[in-house]
Amino acid sequence: GQQVMQIPQYQHVQEGEDFTTYCNSSTTLSNIQWYKQRPGGHPVFLIQLVKSGEVKKQKRLTFQFGEAKKNSSLHITATQTTDVGTYFCAISGGYQKVTFGTGTKLQVIP
Amino acid sequence: DVKVTQSSRYLVKRTGEKVFLECVQDMDHENMFWYRQDPGLGLRLIYFSYDVKMKEKGDIPEGYSVSREKKERFSLILESASTNQTSMYLCASSFPSAGDPNYGYTFGSGTRLTVV
């Protein structure tokens, strides 16, 4: 089945610095989703991107879908301690079955 | 507030026991899923269901079975629990249309199962 590579695996940033996580696929994707999982919590859906070159913003979070629909990124501007957690990208296949990337664990140092 | 509710937050079972993990959603979602989450391995799909009484194997179905007798309830069954099934189990549900920009999974809070 389809797979997606997510990098980096871990990222430590000073509060106020920016953060970016990337997802890459070898095949063209129909859509990509992003989730956030706080420590001790469960994944929470953030957004889905479906169009080539799409860019969406949620406050300090910017999501991009590549022109070729093979990669995506999540960028956080001026991180805060509330941004701590693991960010997953996910791709959907048949029956809306979703395959998750391995996640990027973000630690924000106050 | 829409919810996916998992019956237990923590569970300890003995090797060889039959274990039932229950999941209920109140969003009238057609699709329901069971994942397990392990450090370094991420979220792996065990089974999913896109309709009542329908089930499909995910990536790691061995040692598990599922039951969906009602739309709102999806049960995961460990036929004979083993120590390598110690994990966090997450249930999720969704509407069918992956093309909808607002489409996404809603997860339950998870059940941390320890098999001793």
Side-chain angles (χ1 to χ4, degrees), chain A residues 9 31 33 35 37 40-45 47-50 56 88 92-102, chain B residues 9 31 33 35 37 42-43 45 48 50 56 58-59 90 94-105 107-109:
Chain A
Q9 192 174 0
N31 56 69
Q33 300 161 33
Y35 293 78
Q37 185 174 21
H42 56 275
V44 174
F45 173 72
I47 207 163
Q48 176 167 264
L49 305 174
V50 297
K56 286 192 173 181
F88 294 94
S92 59
Y95 294 116
Q96 290 78 49
K97 187 181 84 167
V98 167
T99 300
F100 286 82
T102 48
Chain B
R9 187 76 173 103
N31 301 334
F33 308 84
Y35 285 83
Q37 185 173 29
L43 288 140
L45 181 63
F48 65 103
Y50 53 90
E56 293 287 336
D59 300 317
L90 289 159
S94 76
F95 281 119
S97 175
D100 182 342
N102 295 315
Y103 166 87
Y105 280 13
F107 280 88
S109 298

Side-chain angles (χ1 to χ4, degrees), chain A residues 34-104:
Chain A
W34 287 94
Y35 293 78
K36 176 184 178 181
Q37 185 174 21
R38 294 181 188 274
H42 56 275
V44 174
F45 173 72
L46 295 175
I47 207 163
Q48 176 167 264
L49 305 174
V50 297
K51 298 176 184 175
S52 168
E54 191 169 13
V55 178
K56 286 192 173 181
K57 293 192 176 185
Q58 290 179 351
K59 297 183 180 177
R60 294 179 294 104
L61 278 60
T62 302
F63 305 85
Q64 290 191 321
F65 203 8
E67 292 289 342
K69 298 182 75 172
K70 289 187 176 182
N71 55 72
S72 181
S73 65
L74 159 58
H75 179 83
I76 303 178
T77 303
T79 55
Q80 299 174 0
T81 54
T82 53
D83 296 324
V84 164
T86 302
Y87 293 84
F88 294 94
C89 62
I91 57 178
S92 59
Y95 294 116
Q96 290 78 49
K97 187 181 84 167
V98 167
T99 300
F100 286 82
T102 48
T104 297

Side-chain angles (χ1 to χ4, degrees), chain B:
Chain B
D1 194 18
V2 293
K3 276 187 181 175
V4 176
T5 303
Q6 294 185 230
S7 53
S8 304
R9 187 76 173 103
Y10 298 95
L11 213 50
V12 179
K13 295 291 182 182
R14 294 194 181 279
T15 301
E17 275 194 80
K18 191 168 185 176
V19 181
F20 294 85
L21 302 183
E22 305 289 343
C23 175
V24 177
Q25 52 97 0
D26 65 0
M27 296 168 284
D28 202 32
H29 282 171
E30 279 82 358
N31 301 334
M32 296 189 74
F33 308 84
W34 275 105
Y35 285 83
R36 63 177 283 177
Q37 185 173 29
D38 302 286
L41 296 175
L43 288 140
R44 293 180 292 167
L45 181 63
I46 304 171
Y47 266 97
F48 65 103
S49 168
Y50 53 90
D51 202 352
V52 175
K53 297 193 184 292
M54 304 302 287
K55 59 184 179 184
E56 293 287 336
K57 291 180 180 179
D59 300 317
I60 51 163
E62 296 78 20
Y64 303 94
S65 62
V66 290
S67 172
R68 193 166 181 201
E69 296 296 318
K70 293 185 178 181
K71 189 176 185 179
E72 66 271 19
R73 186 181 297 271
F74 193 34
S75 303
L76 179 68
I77 304 154
L78 285 67
E79 298 291 343
S80 176
S82 63
T83 54
N84 62 16
Q85 293 178 310
T86 291
S87 185
M88 170 67 84
Y89 289 87
L90 289 159
C91 176
S93 72
S94 76
F95 281 119
S97 175
D100 182 342
N102 295 315
Y103 166 87
Y105 280 13
T106 301
F107 280 88
S109 298
T111 296
R112 185 164 294 281
L113 172 67
T114 302
V115 182
V116 298

